[in-house]
Amino acid sequence: MAYCVMVHGPCRGKMCDFWARVKLRKTTLEELTRDILVSISECSNPGHTNLDDALDDYWKDFGMKDIWRFCEEEPSLCSKMKLVNAQVKMLMN
C-alpha cells in the first residue's frame, strides 16, 4: 500500500477525503448551514424521501467518502458536521 504524505498514512485512493476535511475545518458553522439550506431548497430530487437523505447526499457531494471512518478518525470534525445537521433540521421544521 502506498504512503500518502498529505495524510501521513496509507493512501486511500478513491476513498480519500483529505480535501473535504480541510474544507470542513475552514468553513464556519453558519456558512455550512447556509450552504446546506440553499442546496436543499435548490434540489427537487424525488429520490430524497426525507431530510436525512438530503443531508447524507450533501456530505457526499461535499467530499466525505466514508462518514463512519471519518467520525472515527476526526471526532471533533464529526461533531461539527452533526451540529450543522442539527441546525439545519431545526431550521427546516
Side-chain angles (χ1 to χ4, degrees):
M1 184 173 282
Y3 181 82
C4 177
V5 295
M6 293 190 336
V7 299
H8 305 289
C11 176
R12 295 209 180 107
K14 292 181 181 180
M15 293 303 289
C16 181
D17 60 4
F18 175 78
W19 293 112
R21 294 175 189 214
V22 169
K23 186 166 58 169
L24 183 58
R25 267 188 206 95
K26 292 183 177 190
T27 309
T28 67
L29 293 171
E30 294 77 19
E31 291 171 320
L32 289 166
T33 301
R34 184 187 65 237
D35 291 348
I36 291 175
L37 290 171
V38 168
S39 173
I40 289 172
S41 68
E42 290 177 352
C43 178
S44 59
N45 185 344
H48 292 151
T49 56
N50 59 41
L51 183 55
D52 289 327
D53 289 343
L55 289 169
D56 287 345
D57 283 349
Y58 175 83
W59 291 115
K60 287 176 188 170
D61 290 344
F62 190 83
M64 294 298 167
K65 307 289 185 187
D66 184 342
I67 291 178
W68 181 80
R69 177 183 280 170
F70 163 73
C71 286
E72 274 192 340
E73 295 175 350
E74 300 277 0
S76 63
L77 284 179
C78 184
S79 294
K80 183 177 183 179
M81 186 176 74
K82 289 179 181 181
L83 182 58
V84 170
N85 285 355
Q87 286 179 344
V88 168
K89 288 178 181 182
M90 182 184 70
L91 292 170
M92 294 293 289
N93 289 330

